[in-house]
Amino acid sequence: LDINEMKPLFVAKPLLPELSDLTPLLQRIWTSQIVTNQGPLHNELEAELATLFDVPVSVLFNNGTSALQCALLALDLPQGSEVITTPLTFAATAHAITASGLTPVFADIDEDTLTLDPEAVARAITSKTRAVIGVHVYGTICDHARLAPLCREYDLYLAYDAAHAFASSLDGQPVAQLGDMNIFSLHATKLFNTFEGGLITSSNEEFNRSLRLVRNFGIVNEERVEMVGINGKMSELNAAIGLLNLKIFEQERSIRTKLRAQYDAAIDGLAGITKQVAQSNVQQSEQYYMVRVNKDAFGFSRDDVYEALKKHQIMSRRYFWPICTDFESYRGMPIITRHKTSVVERVKNDVLCLPFHSGVEDHHVATIAQVFHDLKAKARVKLAV
Ligand SMILES: Cc1ncc(COP(=O)(O)O)c(C=O)c1O
């Protein structure tokens, strides 16, 4: 294809059901006249998700950020309590902590998985620490085997931001069961989406009541408001999309699994390019395809690759650069680490996410492969002169 004819290829593409399948559900909404506030479609979707993940707690929200905030509000922690998390995440993780009147404390990541380093978490614990939020970033699952006993030892809640890990499993167990709470985003960019939406799952029945309360302003009944809550409710329209997408997301995932293999082959053997870690005990959500570009070993920087791809209308994303401690809100806050300098400060300049969805065609993969190989060839020439 001529470059000028090529449409931009974005990192994500919303998974959409057949428009005709939506009509009967819209008819149901118009018949029931219930458009939000725990309507019939909403309750159906919650039930289907509870069954899918085999959890007693499945609570829908209007987005992943409100779900994160409600998870923290439901815990009713003393104001100013510290919540340990990773700086390599989307802004929402840290902001939800701050917006809940709590203090984010940033701990370093593991060199291979890029998820929270349990040893860094251990070092970050103080008398004010009440919770840890691990992020299964790029769909790579956190070191639950070490984080869970650590949190038990210090009596901390362990929550996971599982925005990138929908329908993922660890050693055969759904990640929706792992933490005290598991928070999903159902945003348009996610493998399973409701256009905008969020979900909290838990194996602990106790959280059911408080999560539903904080999702609805803390209102118990007409006469009683028990705690501080927000409007976190999902509408019937979003639930309708969810019911339909629930039937087709596995098909999308399998297309992405094949695409992952294609990308893997395309960049195989390129010195300085590192693939996302493959976790043999994990069923991947296939949310992202992330590569790391080591400037010294590859000969060009991550940003060079990003710009080169852009010239071909391939819009890769440098997720999650800038990291949270680069934001104006958190600048200057330390990243607790066991190393001399934090892993994340180095890694943030290397990470690049390639377009990863069913709209990526063979010719796109070929173009992307060509960009990587052309840069490598240029780097060799640079070295030779
Ligand atoms: C890791 C992570 N956490 C939280 C969110 C926030 O979810 P939402 O956009 O649904 O509010 C996102 C992305 O959107 C995310 O990538």
Side-chain angles (χ1 to χ4, degrees), residues 63-65 68 89-90 92-93 135 161 163-164 185-187 190 197 320:
N63 58 64
T65 307
L68 277 166
T89 183
F90 186 61
T93 320
V135 180
D161 180 335
H164 305 166
S185 163
L186 311 181
H187 182 256
K190 303 302 186 285
F320 284 94

Side-chain angles (χ1 to χ4, degrees), residues 6-262:
M6 277 174 73
K7 277 197 250 151
L9 181 70
F10 297 105
V11 147
K13 179 179 82 116
L15 179 66
L16 291 174
E18 288 296 329
L19 187 55
S20 56
D21 290 342
L22 188 59
T23 314
L25 296 182
L26 291 178
Q27 273 162 351
R28 276 182 60 190
I29 300 174
W30 260 248
T31 304
S32 75
Q33 301 271 304
I34 300 170
V35 298
T36 186
N37 288 15
Q38 291 85 244
L41 298 179
H42 166 278
N43 293 345
E44 232 174 85
L45 182 58
E46 278 192 347
E48 287 201 21
L49 290 163
T51 305
L52 180 65
F53 299 138
D54 195 16
V55 281
V57 180
S58 156
V59 184
L60 285 168
F61 292 85
N62 46 12
N63 58 64
T65 307
S66 66
L68 277 166
Q69 223 181 312
C70 284
L72 291 163
L73 287 173
L75 296 179
D76 207 12
L77 303 172
Q79 292 286 294
S81 296
E82 293 174 357
V83 179
I84 299 169
T85 194
T86 166
L88 187 74
T89 183
F90 186 61
T93 320
H95 286 347
I97 297 169
T98 309
S100 308
L102 308 169
T103 304
V105 171
F106 297 104
D108 202 8
I109 56 170
D110 175 80
E111 172 72 46
D112 295 323
T113 65
L114 310 190
T115 61
L116 269 182
D117 172 7
E119 204 175 313
V121 173
R123 287 173 188 238
I125 294 170
T126 72
S127 59
K128 284 185 170 176
T129 310
R130 291 290 174 273
V132 174
I133 303 182
V135 180
H136 304 309
V137 69
Y138 315 113
T140 302
I141 304 306
C142 292
D143 191 349
H144 184 65
R146 287 173 67 200
L147 288 173
L150 180 69
C151 288
R152 261 198 308 275
E153 185 185 342
Y154 289 92
D155 199 19
L156 308 175
Y157 289 108
L158 175 57
Y160 288 115
D161 180 335
H164 305 166
F166 187 81
S168 182
S169 61
L170 176 71
D171 293 315
Q173 183 185 18
V175 297
Q177 300 177 1
L178 287 188
D180 291 310
M181 291 191 204
N182 307 282
I183 300 104
F184 298 86
S185 163
L186 311 181
H187 182 256
T189 49
K190 303 302 186 285
L191 173 70
F192 168 71
N193 83 83
T194 59
F195 288 7
E196 289 275 1
L199 170 73
I200 300 181
T201 61
S202 177
S203 301
N204 187 346
E205 186 95 57
E206 270 177 40
F207 292 123
N208 231 334
R209 183 172 181 274
S210 53
L211 283 173
R212 287 169 196 282
L213 270 183
V214 294
R215 178 177 70 175
N216 190 34
F217 317 97
I219 295 174
V220 180
N221 58 38
E222 272 185 57
E223 295 173 3
R224 182 153 174 241
V225 179
E226 188 181 298
M227 58 200 292
V228 173
I230 61 172
N231 179 355
K233 293 170 283 130
M234 174 181 278
S235 85
E236 287 290 271
L237 274 178
N238 298 104
I241 301 295
L243 286 168
L244 297 175
N245 274 346
L246 209 46
K247 296 184 189 137
I248 58 172
F249 84 87
E250 282 293 9
Q251 189 187 336
E252 172 70 18
R253 170 152 67 176
S254 61
I255 291 169
R256 295 184 189 188
T257 302
K258 290 191 194 103
L259 180 56
R260 182 179 294 279
Q262 278 185 289

